[in-house]
Amino acid sequence: MEHDESLSVSTSSSWSEQTPLLRRDSDFVSTHLTMGALRDSDANLGDTKPASVTISGALDDAVNFEHSLSFIEACKLYPAAIGWSVFVSLGVIMLAFDPQLLGNLYAMPQFQKDFGYLFDGNYIIPAGWQTGLGMGNPAGQVVGALIAGYPMEKYGRKLTFGVCVALTSALIFIQFFARSLEVLLVGELLGGLVLGCYAVIAPAYSSEVCPMAIRGVLTSYVNLCFVMGQLLANSVCKGTSQLGDHWAYSIPFALQWFWCLIILPGLLWVPESPWWLVRKGRLEEAEKVLGRLASKQVDIKQTLAVIVETDRLEQELELGSTYWDCFKGVNLRRTEISVGVYCTQVLSGIYLINYGTYFFQLAGLPTEDAFSMGIGFLAVGFVGTVVSWPLIIRYGRRSIYNTGLLFLIVLQLVIGILDCIPGRPKGVIWAQSSLMLVWNFFYDISIGPVCFVIISEASATRVRSKSIALATAAQGALGCVMTVAIPYMINPDEANMQGKLGFFFGGLAALCLGWAYFRVPETKGRTYEELDVLFERKVPTRAFAGYVIAAGAS
């Protein structure tokens, strides 16, 4: 076999002795990749002709092994990978807890009294201050996400995660001791910068430590962490809302330290991403990490060969590893998909969750009922995310995402129509509140969890952290817009739109559905190398699922 046509990887005791690694012959793996298949001029991509990618030896066995694994088998073979993915995703709980906590504080009598002003006999927080405080998380998400891409690529996922947790534990002090809106604003802005990093670290790490069979569930678990963080914030605030001093809101702030105390000691044993180690040429360490993530029945040398080959392919396709590379060539389409599916979450109305309890209160529910409805709102979301897992395994990504988005549109419009009933009787208020619960259920079985699967699979491995960072930043930027707009749309001293927000978000979601139908492909059951091939060949969106990439021995 000619050297300029082959890829070989040796697994001798010293990986560092293999120079150059990707062009040496060995007894372990010999792979022939016909790159002409990626660039030939087949008559029509719409005919979905097979790509001629020929894989041989142990690499072929590894790819076939990935495709043959069922979800249950993968869980048995990769328990450590599942555990560490879940552990790193704990940071997302902190990310979700903070803005949800703020939204609940606006409905908390003691917080309203200490930080608000009298309006029609009741204390309220001015819309301007709600906007300023609420900007901390999304604004921090924009800046923090973009900043996170650099240390994640230079220093790794593990170290970046550890530094973020340490900073979060320090910045909580500002929130805890805040006794004015000005000090609380500083704490929210600084804390938001760090919290934004978790939204990038968690899906990137999960997608890089687990096999294809459980990739969808573990990346969608990030959404469950968002729901858990929001649910915990609602539950804690309900428990402390009746306290008559500053502990009503100080206790919820203090509980954020709980997660820091769990995560910081565990960081000593967190394995680094094997994909990042391969890109840094640290193949011995990558092999050891793969051994920690998988059971002894798994041939980690084959797994390593797949990672090395995928990285080599992306280098040959010149996919790059910088932010600018996310907008070059085929990466532009992949970045658009990641940004689009994440921004759809905001445009469909997810930011109303942060104001859920306050929204229910303004809709006419008593304070106690509003807090209870807020908890039920998120409990339904928890169940929805868990229900989404078998759907993701069975039906993939595209169909669940688009169908779920359609249901959200219908529900939002019905909520808006109900709000037009003259006099808004009490039955209408409860009907709207119940429909919001149904809306959240469909959100959390569709675009909520599936978004994190798509952004992890649509991006090339060499720019994954930066692609997810860009998507997170774009979502955060839209979040800033909603953070400014929503208080003015729902506050009684402003637009007081109440349920008519359904028309606003239902219309935006309809536009997103049109985009998703034509742009979001099916990525289920594809290795990262296969996804590279599909995007390189510019396969049409609706042809992804049935497109055949032929593999055979050379």
Side-chain angles (χ1 to χ4, degrees):
M1 186 176 290
E2 294 295 325
H3 282 282
D4 60 356
E5 295 179 333
S6 66
L7 165 70
S8 301
V9 181
S10 171
T11 57
S12 61
S13 59
S14 177
W15 281 95
S16 60
E17 295 173 6
Q18 309 305 315
T19 308
L21 171 72
L22 298 179
R23 296 298 178 183
R24 291 180 63 90
D25 292 327
S26 83
D27 295 329
F28 170 49
V29 177
S30 179
T31 302
H32 179 77
L33 179 66
T34 309
M35 290 303 299
L38 302 180
R39 301 188 179 92
D40 63 9
S41 55
D42 284 350
N44 190 347
L45 279 173
D47 297 331
T48 64
K49 295 183 178 180
S52 176
V53 178
T54 306
I55 307 173
S56 65
L59 186 60
D60 189 21
D61 294 337
V63 172
N64 291 334
F65 175 72
E66 281 258 341
H67 281 289
S68 68
L69 274 183
S70 69
F71 176 79
I72 299 299
E73 291 170 339
C75 289
K76 292 178 180 179
L77 292 174
Y78 294 89
I82 295 172
W84 288 119
S85 174
V86 168
F87 181 82
V88 172
S89 295
L90 290 178
V92 178
I93 295 179
M94 293 191 290
L95 166 63
F97 186 94
D98 183 72
Q100 189 69 21
L101 173 59
L102 274 179
N104 278 280
L105 294 182
Y106 302 147
M108 185 178 289
Q110 189 61 40
F111 186 85
Q112 292 172 334
K113 182 179 179 181
D114 289 352
F115 294 91
Y117 74 100
L118 275 173
F119 178 80
D120 287 345
N122 296 306
Y123 285 98
I124 64 170
I125 306 299
W129 273 108
Q130 287 188 38
T131 297
L133 291 168
M135 286 287 283
N137 193 272
Q141 188 170 308
V142 174
V143 179
L146 293 175
I147 291 175
Y150 287 106
M152 284 178 67
E153 197 56 40
K154 185 172 183 179
Y155 302 108
R157 280 70 168 131
K158 176 180 178 178
L159 182 58
T160 305
F161 182 52
V163 171
C164 286
V165 176
L167 287 173
T168 297
S169 63
L171 292 171
I172 292 172
F173 281 97
I174 300 177
Q175 300 171 332
F176 179 76
F177 288 106
R179 295 295 179 268
S180 68
L181 290 173
E182 290 82 1
V183 175
L184 185 57
L185 176 61
V186 172
E188 289 298 321
L189 288 172
L190 293 178
L193 290 174
V194 182
L195 292 174
C197 298
Y198 299 125
V200 181
I201 297 170
Y205 185 85
S206 295
S207 67
E208 293 177 345
V209 299
C210 59
M212 183 175 62
I214 55 177
R215 191 173 64 203
V217 170
L218 285 182
T219 49
S220 65
Y221 176 76
V222 172
N223 186 74
L224 187 64
C225 289
F226 270 104
V227 175
M228 286 191 291
Q230 294 163 342
L231 180 59
L232 286 169
N234 276 22
S235 301
V236 170
C237 287
K238 176 177 171 57
T240 64
S241 63
Q242 301 305 312
L243 295 179
D245 54 22
H246 74 89
W247 288 109
Y249 47 86
S250 294
I251 289 176
F253 281 127
L255 287 178
Q256 294 178 96
W257 278 311
F258 172 77
W259 301 106
C260 298
L261 292 174
I262 291 178
I263 295 172
L264 286 174
L267 283 169
L268 296 173
W269 294 277
V270 172
E272 183 55 83
S273 162
W275 289 83
W276 180 80
L277 291 170
V278 166
R279 286 197 295 276
K280 295 300 179 181
R282 295 158 59 176
L283 301 184
E284 285 183 346
E285 293 178 57
E287 186 175 0
K288 291 178 181 177
V289 165
L290 288 170
R292 291 182 58 196
L293 293 171
S295 62
K296 294 181 179 179
Q297 294 95 316
V298 177
D299 189 338
I300 60 173
K301 295 184 184 298
Q302 290 184 356
T303 306
L304 183 59
V306 173
I307 297 175
V308 171
E309 162 60 11
T310 303
D311 186 64
R312 185 204 65 80
L313 174 61
E314 293 189 358
Q315 290 184 57
E316 190 160 336
L317 295 178
E318 299 179 348
L319 296 184
S321 59
T322 66
Y323 276 118
W324 178 241
D325 289 317
C326 293
F327 300 98
K328 292 168 60 178
V330 296
N331 275 344
L332 177 60
R333 179 187 179 189
R334 304 174 81 160
T335 302
E336 177 208 336
I337 293 168
S338 297
V339 171
V341 295
Y342 214 163
C343 288
T344 295
Q345 289 189 337
V346 178
L347 295 174
S348 64
I350 190 57
Y351 263 67
L352 280 177
I353 288 181
N354 294 344
Y355 295 87
T357 302
Y358 189 48
F359 176 82
F360 292 134
Q361 188 184 58
L362 294 178
L365 295 181
T367 298
E368 189 72 15
D369 289 339
F371 274 100
S372 297
M373 185 64 78
I375 293 174
F377 190 68
L378 290 163
V380 166
F382 184 98
V383 174
T385 302
V386 175
V387 171
S388 76
W389 293 343
L391 298 178
I392 290 172
I393 295 169
R394 175 66 178 85
Y395 298 106
R397 289 66 164 136
R398 173 181 163 85
S399 58
I400 298 174
Y401 192 89
N402 290 342
T403 303
L405 189 51
L406 176 62
F407 275 102
L408 299 185
I409 294 169
V410 173
L411 289 168
Q412 289 278 24
L413 294 179
V414 172
I415 291 171
I417 292 171
L418 287 175
D419 205 67
C420 296
I421 296 177
R424 294 184 73 245
K426 188 173 182 180
V428 169
I429 295 174
W430 279 104
Q432 288 178 312
S433 300
S434 300
L435 285 174
M436 283 295 291
L437 294 179
V438 177
W439 181 93
N440 198 43
F441 177 78
F442 278 102
Y443 174 90
D444 282 305
I445 65 171
S446 58
I447 69 172
V450 175
C451 164
F452 296 102
V453 183
I454 294 174
I455 66 175
S456 300
E457 295 179 336
S459 55
T461 61
R462 292 183 65 81
V463 292
R464 176 166 297 127
S465 62
K466 292 183 173 62
S467 179
I468 295 176
L470 286 170
T472 304
Q475 195 252 27
L478 274 179
C480 289
V481 175
M482 293 302 172
T483 301
V484 172
I486 289 176
Y488 289 96
M489 288 192 286
I490 68 175
N491 254 30
D493 58 341
E494 301 292 344
N496 196 26
M497 290 178 66
Q498 299 178 338
K500 294 182 180 66
L501 278 172
F503 292 126
F504 177 73
F505 286 111
L508 292 178
L511 296 175
C512 293
L513 177 60
W515 169 84
Y517 180 78
F518 292 104
R519 300 301 290 170
V520 178
E522 180 55 71
T523 55
K524 173 180 176 286
R526 300 289 191 180
T527 65
Y528 290 130
E529 185 179 25
E530 289 169 340
L531 289 170
D532 287 340
V533 172
L534 291 170
F535 281 109
E536 173 67 18
R537 290 183 63 82
K538 299 180 174 62
V539 175
T541 297
R542 285 172 285 173
F544 258 60
Y547 195 83
V548 179
I549 299 178
S554 59

